[in-house]
Amino acid sequence: MTAPSTYGLSSQARNLQWLLTDLVEEVPGVNSVAVVSSDGLLLLSSEQAPDSGKADRPKGPRGASADLATIVSGLGSLTTGAAALMEFGAVKQTMVAMENGSVFVMSISDGSLLGVHATPDCDMGVVAYHMALFVGRAGHVLTPEVRSELRQSMENTP
């Protein structure tokens, strides 16, 4: 997993990074994960590192966490607008199944989003279940202070 260093981060921020790592490493078919703020900025990211021993797994969208964050932010905005037009209430989850993979987007809190890029043969129910667990655990921890801390951490990552 490629992620910013946890050195100097609060226990809440370290816990969120641990939850993200666990989601990627423990859920079959998950390639990469991104947490995006309401303004579209990447807060947390997980990318398949080339030397992680899982070279047979495909990388995330073009292998870049910024690409997944952009996709997650765009899908979140599009589906929120569609739900408002149709007067269906808040969007809970969006899933896009493609020939060579799937993208899931789930609301966390205050407009923040969790995005997952998965293999085409993943068990969508299992992925959605683990995303819901992440959201349940992360929602109350993702305060404005922690979001700011994570954003700074991502900006300082080489």
Side-chain angles (χ1 to χ4, degrees):
M1 171 164 147
T2 303
S5 169
T6 59
Y7 179 76
L9 292 179
S10 67
S11 61
Q12 294 91 348
R14 285 193 312 270
N15 187 41
L16 287 172
Q17 289 207 351
W18 178 85
L19 287 171
L20 186 95
T21 301
D22 191 54
L23 180 62
V24 172
E25 292 179 356
E26 300 300 322
V27 181
V30 171
N31 291 326
S32 57
V33 179
V35 174
V36 181
S37 67
S38 60
D39 54 359
L41 296 175
L42 185 62
L43 298 177
L44 284 171
S45 170
S46 164
E47 274 189 71
Q48 188 68 40
D51 59 348
S52 68
K54 296 183 181 180
D56 58 326
R57 287 176 73 182
K59 293 183 181 180
R62 287 192 268 152
S65 57
D67 288 344
L68 181 58
T70 300
I71 292 164
V72 168
S73 181
L75 283 173
S77 179
L78 178 66
T79 56
T80 298
L85 282 173
M86 295 190 283
E87 299 177 355
F88 283 169
V91 177
K92 295 180 182 178
Q93 180 178 2
T94 303
M95 194 272 302
V96 180
M98 298 163 280
E99 187 175 326
N100 295 315
S102 297
V103 175
F104 301 81
V105 179
M106 191 174 285
S107 299
I108 299 176
S109 64
D110 296 338
S112 297
L113 301 167
L114 171 64
V116 171
H117 171 247
T119 61
D121 60 345
C122 72
D123 184 327
M124 293 179 191
V126 169
V127 173
Y129 172 76
H130 284 278
M131 287 177 71
L133 288 177
F134 181 95
V135 166
R137 293 173 181 155
H140 68 284
V141 176
L142 203 53
T143 63
E145 295 80 18
V146 172
R147 283 194 299 272
S148 177
E149 181 181 1
L150 291 170
R151 188 175 300 142
Q152 283 183 328
S153 174
M154 289 301 292
E155 289 172 0
N156 295 333
T157 301

